[in-house]
Amino acid sequence: MRSNLAGPRLLLRRLREVMAEPIKAQERLDKIVVLIASNVVAEVCSVYILRADGVLELYATEGLKREAVHNASLRVGEGLVGLIAAEARPLNLPNASAHPGFAYLPETGEEAYNSFLGVPILRAGRTLGVLVVQNQSHRTYLEDEVEALQTTAMVIAEMVAAGELEAISQKATGLDMSRPIASSGVGLAEGVGLGHVVLHEPRVVVTNLISEDSDKEKQRLDGAINRLRLSIDDLLASGEIAATGEHREVLEAYRMFAYDRGWIRKIEEAIKNGLTAEAAVEKVQSDTRARMLRQTDPYLRERLHDLDDLAHRLIRELMGREHGPGIDELPQDAIIIGRNMGAAELLDYGRDRIRGLVLEEGGPTSHVTIVARALGIPAVGLVDDIVSLADGGDAIIVDGDTGEVHLRPAADLENAYAEKVRFRARRQAQYRRLRNKPSVTKDGVEVALQMNAGLLVDLPHLEEAGAAGIGLFRTELQFMVASSFPRMRDQQAQYTQILDASGGKPVTFRSLDIGGDKVLPYLRSILEENPAMGWRALRLGLDRPGLLRTQIRALLHAAAGRDLKLMFPMVVEVDEFLQARGLVEKELKHLRRHGHPVPETIRLGVMVEVPSLLFQLEELLGHVDFISVGSNDLFQFFCAVDRGNTRVADRFDPLSPPFLRALKQIVDAADKAHVPVTLCGEMAGNPLAAMALIGLGYRNLSMSPASLGPVKAMLRTLDAGRLSARLLSRMEPGHRDCDIRAFLTRFAEEMDVAL
Ligand code: PEP
Ligand code: MG
């Protein structure tokens, strides 16, 4: 059958003229439907737009009754139009009324029409409406007619996105494009942020859709694809992959798509039909996106992300834009939205204008999360599709405490959150007032509160939160945010800066704790079945002494003339500590021999985080200068509960009596041996758990800076002696009521402890 279409190029040329006319939105839509109807030689052409209440409203028609415009409507999923919106797929039917999904709308007078072609109006894979043509005769529309309709749908999508149709929307509900959306993910960094969306990699908006010269567009495409391929090949060859926050496998996927003939052929086809090169890329991507978004297979969805990224890169190549807004262009209340980003990229934005971070990926232990926490930026991860749902400048709320994200929130919700922010600020102010107050319980027991840190950006908290020192400095973070192994010089510079910035307060460095979930992108990791129990931390340090010795040397240099406190992670046997100490002594000897200044004092300690040490405490305490309990790992190994597995997260209760007994055994042994003991796992920062620790006899706790205020408020209202007596009797074997959490909560209520 011959196509009725009077040439896709001619249609596009006419469309461009209509778009350029200085007319109102309704008139423009009316002209578009007339144009399409005459080009496809259809008796009917109609535009349905999706409203915020999930209803598709007839916005313009040629052929159906005029009175039906803004009156006829269908729900998503209802009738053929609703089906197209729900499935984001064209429907081409010679006999529409025979389709099981057919629903007849009497107000439109459409009973006379048999054949039906409808396409979704898509933008970034999101359905904004449906464009339909109908004929009385039974006909099947041809491929280039479907194409023509899809291209027109793109033009209408841009009208919707530009807000042109808001003015003619009849209902108070508004358009779907501006609908409030509530999504939930996983809270990564606590706090609440209200602000406006800044897309980390903004979609370049293609406004020039229709080409004047297809051959020229094809040449532009060829050039851009070549440049794209070269840039990916270069990145893969350069070994600087981590600098861009990308991983090798992602780039390999990019390369695979960039050479995919099928993908490129589809883009070329769209150019042949009259689109500009960038519009052709966007059209193909939007179609693919709509198809793939319905996939539930996580692998395929992941590939969709890769393909999305690649299409964006190609559009940027074509339009010659750099990605990411400059810092000066950020609004004062920016909430950064991205699929994922490297820690260094977040640092690049600076702290001042950022109120929050929302990522489609990003787990609780990812590097960007660690940096967001260090910077005090509320962050939520694992939020599905947020990048395509959000537009730059949209209002947004991020709740890092609950993992909720509200895009384009209603006014009352915004007010409620603004109140939450004010409440938090008042609490923070109260905590700040405690900053210089003594850290002493009601009955006069002194408890030193230190903070955990790992980056230079953490250091200002030392003063702000009034910490007594840094109880745990995770040196691996510098390695995790770097793009290649930091050299000795870089390590030394960082440690010197830390010691300088600590203003004489003690800093306990921990030697590299890499491996497990802490992967270095530039270090080829071997696949391990149980990485948490694999080749990590001190094991790696002892097997590759060059690495550990370099770090030790950097620390000795940095602490020259000052005090150096260094501890080793994941010690399993006393002998491992002795070996590590041997390395320190060797380095020290070397420095002395060459006349380098050395630290005034050196204290070496061990993290107690593997249960085997519980059975070597006496011997261990005879060798070390101090110990620090890593309750995160200790609990994970003690109770066989993976600390990073959300499935077993509710089994991760360090307040269980057997674990508390183990903690008690450690503090008692250390006290008996007169060896200082600190606890630096997450439980130290939870006021209720910290209460238990004080009850057990811990007098030194190290926690994240944000926890210092709440823990200090708790301990200053606590009678430690009374708590201790009652807690210890409750932990006795055979005690009837062993729910320690409930006991502590009751105790706090009865005794007015500020929790
Ligand atoms: C711990 O294991 O408790 C700890 C403090 O170390 P990390 O969380 O870095 O493993
Ligand atoms: Mg640990």
Side-chain angles (χ1 to χ4, degrees), residues 510 513 518 536 607 609 633 643:
R510 175 176 73 183
D513 186 7
K518 297 167 186 167
R536 57 172 284 205
M607 289 206 56
E609 50 183 355
D633 276 316
R643 61 190 272 191

Side-chain angles (χ1 to χ4, degrees), residues 446-467:
E446 221 172 292
V447 182
L449 301 184
Q450 303 194 73
M451 68 173 225
N452 296 346
L455 291 167
L456 212 52
V457 290
D458 292 322
L459 266 290
H461 295 305
L462 198 54
E463 254 327 289
E464 284 162 22

Side-chain angles (χ1 to χ4, degrees), residues 483-506:
S483 53
S484 58
F485 254 115
R487 284 166 305 190
M488 215 273 292
R489 262 207 320 273
D490 306 324
Q491 296 180 45
Q492 183 184 335
Q494 156 119 337
Y495 305 145
T496 307
Q497 280 175 300
I498 300 296
L499 288 170
D500 290 348
S502 68
K505 289 184 177 178

Side-chain angles (χ1 to χ4, degrees), residues 261-508:
R261 276 307 309 160
W263 183 60
I264 293 163
R265 207 174 313 117
K266 278 190 219 147
I267 300 172
E268 287 170 350
E269 194 64 33
I271 290 179
K272 222 184 281 165
N273 285 336
L275 289 183
T276 58
E278 51 269 36
V281 178
E282 184 162 285
K283 175 183 180 297
V284 170
Q285 189 50 20
S286 207
D287 293 349
T288 314
R289 208 163 200 287
R291 238 180 318 116
M292 285 174 80
L293 269 180
R294 292 190 309 276
Q295 292 285 349
T296 45
D297 181 340
Y299 176 78
L300 282 180
R301 288 187 65 123
E302 190 53 39
R303 296 288 74 80
L304 167 65
H305 281 314
D306 297 339
L307 195 52
D308 258 348
D309 279 356
L310 192 75
H312 290 153
R313 275 167 188 252
L314 187 52
I315 291 175
R316 271 188 231 116
E317 277 296 340
L318 284 160
M319 297 177 67
R321 301 265 184 88
E322 278 300 313
H323 57 98
I327 290 189
D328 297 340
E329 298 162 50
L330 288 183
Q332 291 294 341
D333 58 355
I335 296 203
I336 312 286
I337 308 267
R339 189 155 81 72
N340 207 350
M341 71 176 77
E345 289 176 284
L346 180 61
L347 285 168
D348 281 347
Y349 280 107
R351 172 69 189 94
D352 293 352
R353 300 182 183 201
I354 301 189
R355 299 277 174 278
L357 174 70
V358 184
L359 298 175
E360 287 188 2
E361 297 176 8
T365 52
S366 67
H367 313 167
V368 66
T369 301
I370 292 166
V371 172
R373 276 196 211 128
L375 295 173
I377 298 172
V380 176
L382 302 181
V383 182
D384 279 346
D385 289 327
I386 190 73
V387 172
S388 57
L389 294 173
D391 261 311
D394 279 348
I396 186 168
I397 297 170
V398 181
D399 188 338
D401 302 343
T402 62
E404 282 171 55
V405 173
H406 298 277
L407 193 60
R408 300 181 284 268
D412 51 351
L413 193 71
E414 203 165 325
N415 291 340
Y417 267 98
E419 181 48 39
K420 192 170 169 180
V421 169
R422 280 194 290 275
F423 177 74
R424 284 182 69 98
R426 280 198 296 275
R427 284 276 289 262
Q428 290 305 326
Q430 281 168 5
Y431 294 144
R432 264 200 302 280
R433 278 197 289 279
L434 289 182
R435 180 173 57 182
N436 297 320
K437 296 252 163 55
S439 183
V440 176
T441 63
K442 239 166 55 177
D443 54 337
V445 177
E446 221 172 292
V447 182
L449 301 184
Q450 303 194 73
M451 68 173 225
N452 296 346
L455 291 167
L456 212 52
V457 290
D458 292 322
L459 266 290
H461 295 305
L462 198 54
E463 254 327 289
E464 284 162 22
I470 296 178
L472 164 65
F473 189 89
R474 292 179 162 108
T475 58
E476 61 275 9
L477 294 198
Q478 181 193 15
F479 287 67
M480 285 160 67
V481 300
S483 53
S484 58
F485 254 115
R487 284 166 305 190
M488 215 273 292
R489 262 207 320 273
D490 306 324
Q491 296 180 45
Q492 183 184 335
Q494 156 119 337
Y495 305 145
T496 307
Q497 280 175 300
I498 300 296
L499 288 170
D500 290 348
S502 68
K505 289 184 177 178
V507 179
T508 308

